[in-house]
Amino acid sequence: MSARIEPLPPQRWSEAARRTYAEAMKTPVLGELSDRPTLAVVSTLATNDWLFDVSMPFLASISGGRIPARERELMVLRIAYLARSQYMWSHHCALAADAGVAADEIDRIVRGPRAPGWSADDAALLAAVDELHERAELGASTWRHLATRFGEPQVLELLCLAGAFRMLASVLTSCRVELDGWREPRPFPAGSDADEDHDHHGDQDQPEEAQVADGVHPIGNAPG
């Protein structure tokens, strides 16, 4: 499936876009990719000068905020799975491994917060993603757990992190951004309900509604 918006090669970017990108590359996550060709998602955003100027600084900054990298990547992978974004999943499997997420944990993410093996903290992070996906609100138990673990200012950051990557996943799937040629495709783990939905490097045309493992979370079932 071809991309709906042709990525704009960096040599055709405006001077303003070049400056914005140079600043974004100073942040931790994008900085790690400085020796790679420009990401297809970045070149897609660059087709809209105004959007690029306002979105890139935020996306780059929220990716390298005060939330530890491992916890961030757990959330992003769950978001990628629920959104059925093969692009985001493939890239962040590599980033998650670098951040200390074990291979069996990556496989377990598709089974959600109820899967055996998660710590209470990890389950709360995954439950937060699921609750925001389902009703755009953290349940009372999830809020209390995360506020105790991180503090309320960082819960606010977690909410913005989840929202930013959900927004990005919507861009990736709707625009059918194709996976960068240098990144190895990573299918969703066997046994997940996404296996049959993807048969190309880009994201699928019409993602099915996400099905959360078992339908009940151990944390955060009641609205706050």
Side-chain angles (χ1 to χ4, degrees), residues 19-31 52 56-57 60-61:
R19 288 193 298 270
T20 296
Y21 182 66
E23 287 299 312
M25 291 300 287
K26 296 177 183 178
T27 58
V29 175
L30 283 179
F52 192 79
M56 278 302 297
S61 296

Side-chain angles (χ1 to χ4, degrees), residues 39 86-96 179-180 182-183:
L39 293 168
Q86 197 76 60
Y87 184 103
M88 185 178 288
W89 179 266
S90 294
H91 273 293
H92 283 271
C93 278
L95 292 171
L179 185 61
D180 304 273
W182 52 267
R183 174 65 74 196

Side-chain angles (χ1 to χ4, degrees), residues 46-169:
T47 62
N48 183 320
D49 246 6
W50 174 84
L51 181 64
F52 192 79
D53 188 51
V54 298
S55 64
M56 278 302 297
F58 176 69
L59 290 170
S61 296
I62 199 71
S63 298
R66 295 181 179 180
I67 303 303
R70 179 184 177 278
E71 283 77 358
R72 178 194 69 224
E73 293 304 322
L74 287 175
M75 293 186 70
V76 172
L77 284 176
R78 185 65 180 166
I79 291 166
Y81 171 70
L82 292 178
R84 302 302 194 264
S85 174
Q86 197 76 60
Y87 184 103
M88 185 178 288
W89 179 266
S90 294
H91 273 293
H92 283 271
C93 278
L95 292 171
D98 290 343
V101 181
D104 64 313
E105 292 177 321
I106 292 175
D107 289 344
R108 195 190 311 148
I109 282 171
V110 302
R111 296 166 58 196
R114 286 181 60 91
W118 294 121
S119 68
D121 288 347
D122 289 348
L125 288 167
L126 298 178
V129 172
D130 286 10
E131 290 165 14
L132 293 171
H133 175 78
E134 292 170 354
R135 60 175 184 263
E137 180 184 6
L138 292 186
S141 297
T142 303
W143 178 277
R144 285 194 299 269
H145 191 109
L146 294 176
T148 300
R149 166 65 179 85
F150 294 101
E152 288 186 350
Q154 267 55 67
V155 175
L156 186 59
E157 183 179 336
L158 285 169
L159 291 170
C160 291
L161 176 71
F165 276 92
R166 181 65 203 203
M167 175 190 71
L168 192 59

